[in-house]
Amino acid sequence: MSKGRFGVHGGQYMPETLMNAVIELEEAYEHYKNDPDFQKELEDLLNNYAGRPSRLYYAERMTKDLGGAKIYLKREDLNHTGAHKINNVLGQVLLAKKMGKTRVIAETGAGQHGVATATAAALMDMECEVYMGKEDIERQALNVYRMRLLGSQVHSVSSGTGTLKDAVSEAMREWTSRVDDTHYVLGSVMGPHPFPTIVRDFQAVISKEIKEQCLEAEGKLPDAVLACVGGGSNAIGAFYNFIEDESVRLIGCEAAGRGVNTAETAATIATGRLGIFHGMKSYFCQDEYGQIAPVYSISAGLDYPGIGPEHAMLYDNGRAEYVPVTDDEAVDAFEYLSRMEGIIPAIESAHAVSYAMKLAPTMEKDQVIVINISGRGDKDCAAIARYRGEDIHE
Amino acid sequence: MNKIRKAFEKGKAFIPFITCGDPSLEVTEKLVYAMEESGADLIELGIPFSDPTAEGPVIQSANVRALSGGVTTDKIFDMVARIREKTQIPMVFMTYANVIFSYGADRFIRKAAELGMDGIILPDLPYEEKAEFDPICKQYDVALVSLIAPTSEDRIAMIGKDASGFVYCVSSLGVTGVRTGITTDIRAMTAKVKEVQDIPCAVGFGISTPEQAKKMAEQADGVIVGSAIVKLCAQYGEECVPHVRAYVKSMKDAIR
């Protein structure tokens, strides 16, 4: 079995042109992850630039309203740039800088990862180009402007469905054409080894903090941790330090779009099967001949036909559960959290909020749920307004 | 014996690539005969994939056209069966790992072998992941063709030693598609392969003109051309056969 395996999943299914680049990246990462100076520099950036640690907030009104388990919100939305994506990006761009790269490229779906990459590139004086699906550029106009404001170039990707998977494909293509001075900042726990491991390690700070904060607030571990899953970076970040704690239920909330029984869905675990794509073996939405399905979700960040290989393993071995949440349910939760707690979650994160709304009432009052609010919802307001039939100017 | 070696026995080999089902499988079949008659030594049949990450815009669009025309792996197998009633020209499939994995690796490779296909090229299957399909390919005597790239450097010996059929030398960085100039030292790449194994090396990516083909053929055992032919298929559609025939002849003549 090749490197970077999670059970049968993972691996390095990449063009030969990029193999030395991923090997070089792996070697650099193995070196710097144990380098105290690198770690100190990263911690300083995370704390003083990104604003970590993020809060674990007790959602009292929501708890009372649902009448079951106590609900805490892990406030990744309060990070600089408004999402968990900055955790990974600061790590990777710092690593790229140490490797002597002068240019970074990235894919983005909702635009959060693109904005985070553009931000880190501005901070660390790197050239930055972001690939974004044509469809998503329309859905997330504000984030496109933010990236340009930060000095990045944004490329519209019109191939395929013009969404996240096409942006990933195009970023990979671009990387094969210019690999010497360029690092590809992959935004999720996916792609070829070592990306799923690197991104997970940089995001694991989320569960490390949740653990400490929950112990301090409740004197015990949470009973369940919920997070939305597209590629799965915020979810793996929220799960990772609980994997050994078997009393903690780990629940990933997939984007079911218009429903798992329709073709307009992005729920990979619910509707996909084992395949090889974008550098990894994992579960993918695909047809009987292995053609990748044109998936759909209201959430540009979850609109991806695959799932990271470590999630696929956690599903196989039963350690984590994966549940589908529809557009309708996510929009309801988006509005619910806004009114109930005064917190507008990203539409991605609203998928996890939605499942918590179902789960909490079935649990005891002394039990604890943590929902990872992976990002803030300002970017989604215009789209949700449209979904509700209201046309607002951004 | 695997027929790939034969393609390299009569001097420099010309290896055209076409996407199956672009514009239709009937035309693909006619293209195979026309290309053989005009001098092709080995033919690469592309099985379209929804998300071809190694392809430039020209072949990406061909994949889209073929898939929206309803082409499937099974229909391509049926076409190969028809072709094999008429010609034994060496042929390899070029596709992506998921097409084979999803069909069932054993089922796909056995079927390809039964139909008389000689090899498979998978641009998203590097040396490190060969074990996924190589043992099955060996079992059925289908060559799993290895690729080397300008960035391969010290990997070439490792890849070359284990290669079967022929070695696909990727001429330039980036994806498939026409390029004005190729600056890579192909001769140095192929020499590294020959040091470890006596196996034919064919160079592809970016070659479109007879002049380029001639230059490349001086440094390798064969020349692979894809996008330039696929462009003709896109431009002339159902009427593309005579155009491709003339183009293949001009390219083969240039490397003779």
Side-chain angles (χ1 to χ4, degrees):
Chain A
M1 203 62 96
S2 66
K3 284 188 285 190
R5 291 285 172 170
F6 300 92
V8 301
H9 308 282
Q12 294 181 297
Y13 299 87
M14 286 306 272
E16 173 58 25
T17 303
L18 290 173
M19 283 309 292
N20 266 330
V22 294
I23 292 166
E24 180 199 10
L25 176 62
E26 182 190 7
E27 287 168 357
Y29 180 64
E30 287 301 317
H31 171 76
Y32 285 108
K33 82 171 181 192
N34 301 313
D35 174 15
D37 290 340
F38 178 85
Q39 289 301 340
K40 195 163 161 283
E41 210 172 327
L42 179 58
E43 193 181 319
D44 181 64
L45 285 171
L46 289 171
N47 294 349
N48 298 313
Y49 185 71
R52 299 208 74 84
S54 70
R55 306 292 177 183
L56 186 71
Y57 164 75
Y58 172 46
E60 193 175 355
R61 283 198 71 210
M62 186 176 172
T63 299
K64 285 193 175 137
D65 181 63
L66 295 172
K70 284 181 89 167
I71 296 169
Y72 282 84
L73 307 178
K74 178 61 173 165
R75 299 292 308 277
E76 291 297 302
D77 58 314
L78 295 180
N79 296 337
H80 179 44
T81 71
H84 72 291
K85 294 291 187 189
I86 193 80
N87 305 329
N88 165 47
V89 160
L90 287 173
Q92 279 199 50
V93 177
L94 187 62
L95 181 63
K97 189 107 189 162
K98 300 276 179 203
M99 291 170 72
K101 307 285 178 184
T102 55
R103 175 178 177 257
V104 290
I105 55 171
E107 85 292 346
T108 197
Q112 295 302 100
H113 175 60
V115 167
T117 306
T119 299
L123 176 70
M124 297 186 222
D125 192 22
M126 306 271 263
E127 210 183 311
C128 177
E129 293 182 38
V130 179
Y131 293 81
M132 187 168 185
K134 187 170 168 277
E135 195 67 25
D136 292 337
I137 283 185
E138 282 161 28
R139 286 196 279 193
Q140 301 287 350
L142 181 61
N143 274 341
V144 176
Y145 181 74
R146 290 168 79 194
M147 288 183 267
R148 291 191 171 131
L149 185 64
L150 290 159
S152 288
Q153 221 180 314
V154 181
H155 299 278
S156 173
V157 179
S158 54
S159 59
T161 44
T163 60
L164 180 54
K165 86 170 160 80
D166 309 293
V168 173
S169 296
E170 207 52 41
M172 285 181 173
R173 290 182 185 118
E174 171 59 24
W175 202 24
T176 58
S177 73
R178 193 170 157 187
V179 67
D180 260 7
D181 65 346
T182 300
H183 173 68
Y184 176 18
V185 184
L186 234 167
S188 195
V189 283
M190 46 158 291
H193 175 71
F195 285 107
T197 299
I198 292 182
V199 179
R200 179 251 279 151
D201 288 354
F202 287 142
Q203 292 294 359
V205 64
I206 302 173
S207 49
K208 181 173 165 278
E209 288 175 7
I210 295 175
K211 204 170 201 174
E212 291 163 4
Q213 292 164 325
C214 190
L215 281 170
E216 195 181 316
E218 290 291 327
K220 62 169 193 165
L221 296 179
D223 296 279
V225 177
L226 276 64
C228 62
V229 181
S233 70
N234 91 83
I236 213 77
F239 294 174
Y240 187 64
N241 286 288
F242 293 111
I243 290 175
E244 304 292 315
D245 302 309
E246 296 205 357
S247 67
V248 183
R249 279 178 75 184
L250 305 174
I251 305 173
C253 304
E254 296 194 303
R258 299 207 162 89
V260 292
N261 300 320
T262 72
E264 290 171 298
T265 182
T268 306
I269 293 289
T271 66
R273 62 190 174 85
L274 195 59
I276 297 169
F277 184 49
H278 278 163
M280 60 183 170
K281 185 179 279 183
S282 188
Y283 293 108
F284 296 96
C285 301
Q286 54 185 311
D287 76 7
E288 59 169 315
Y289 290 104
Q291 307 294 343
I292 303 302
V295 293
Y296 163 82
S297 161
I298 189 172
S299 144
L302 305 181
D303 197 354
Y304 183 72
I307 188 167
E310 192 163 8
H311 283 294
M313 179 186 74
L314 293 174
Y315 170 73
D316 286 351
N317 65 23
R319 181 60 193 93
E321 307 156 54
Y322 295 86
V323 297
V325 175
T326 64
D327 282 2
D328 276 341
E329 292 169 325
V331 171
D332 286 348
F334 178 87
E335 294 168 341
Y336 176 86
L337 195 68
S338 301
R339 287 182 192 149
M340 195 56 70
E341 294 289 347
I343 294 170
I344 304 171
I347 188 64
E348 289 77 20
S349 322
H351 286 71
V353 175
S354 170
Y355 193 70
M357 289 162 65
K358 282 187 198 165
L359 183 66
T362 70
M363 292 170 68
E364 301 298 328
K365 287 197 161 64
D366 61 350
Q367 290 187 297
V368 172
I369 289 178
V370 175
I371 311 170
N372 197 32
I373 305 299
S374 54
R376 55 188 294 157
D378 308 53
K379 67 179 177 60
D380 299 306
C381 288
I384 302 299
R386 272 197 300 278
Y387 189 82
R388 291 300 193 206
E390 198 180 329
D391 204 12
I392 59 169
H393 292 286
E394 277 187 283
Chain B
M1 185 198 121
N2 196 292
K3 296 190 291 295
I4 290 176
R5 288 268 171 172
K6 282 190 190 160
F8 294 90
E9 278 169 1
K10 302 161 286 180
K12 305 290 181 179
F14 183 70
I15 306 173
F17 165 94
I18 49 175
T19 300
C20 293
D22 173 38
S24 67
L25 287 174
E26 291 68 35
V27 173
T28 301
E29 189 181 338
K30 285 182 200 157
L31 283 171
V32 169
Y33 307 137
M35 293 193 300
E36 182 182 19
E37 285 159 18
S38 51
D41 299 288
L42 189 161
I43 292 172
E44 278 185 28
L45 293 177
I47 303 181
F49 181 52
S50 52
D51 301 81
T53 48
E55 313 297 351
V58 171
I59 297 178
Q60 281 180 49
S61 306
N63 283 322
V64 171
R65 288 192 298 272
L67 289 172
S68 41
V71 163
T72 66
T73 307
D74 281 320
K75 288 180 188 171
I76 291 168
F77 281 147
D78 293 344
M79 176 196 71
V80 171
R82 291 195 297 275
I83 291 172
R84 277 292 179 239
E85 288 171 10
K86 297 191 181 159
T87 170
Q88 293 306 311
I89 185 168
M91 293 197 294
V92 299
F93 279 134
M94 173 140 177
T95 188
Y96 286 77
N98 202 46
V99 169
I100 296 185
F101 183 80
S102 158
Y103 199 86
D106 190 87
R107 183 170 160 240
F108 183 100
I109 296 162
R110 190 183 56 221
K111 183 105 195 206
E114 280 168 10
L115 292 170
M117 292 300 295
D118 303 290
I120 298 172
I121 305 171
L122 298 171
D124 59 347
L125 193 86
Y127 179 84
E128 279 75 356
E129 301 295 350
K130 262 179 84 167
E132 186 84 50
F133 303 125
D134 202 40
I136 309 169
C137 285
K138 289 207 159 68
Q139 186 188 335
Y140 295 109
D141 191 25
V142 172
L144 184 60
V145 173
S146 296
L147 294 95
I148 56 172
T151 52
S152 296
E153 297 168 2
D154 52 345
R155 295 170 52 81
I156 293 179
M158 169 181 88
I159 296 167
K161 212 168 159 183
D162 250 12
S164 30
F166 68 95
V167 171
Y168 191 132
C169 302
V170 175
S171 74
S172 328
L173 295 180
V175 292
T176 58
V178 172
R179 287 169 174 75
T180 44
I182 293 167
T183 53
T184 308
D185 187 351
I186 304 298
R187 200 187 299 276
M189 283 170 77
T190 57
K192 281 188 193 168
V193 174
K194 307 281 185 178
E195 270 173 34
V196 292
Q197 197 193 159
D198 179 22
I199 186 169
C201 295
V203 57
F205 276 46
I207 303 166
S208 61
T209 65
E211 294 72 36
Q212 279 178 320
K214 186 168 187 294
K215 203 173 145 212
M216 288 296 122
E218 285 162 9
Q219 309 176 59
D221 305 304
V223 173
I224 304 165
V225 173
S227 296
I229 296 173
V230 172
K231 257 188 183 168
L232 294 173
C233 299
Q235 191 181 346
Y236 296 104
E238 298 284 333
E239 312 302 321
C240 68
V241 179
H243 299 276
V244 172
R245 181 193 298 270
Y247 176 78
V248 169
K249 183 170 186 310
S250 71
M251 294 296 274
K252 177 67 189 181
D253 287 345
I255 66 169
R256 266 184 222 275

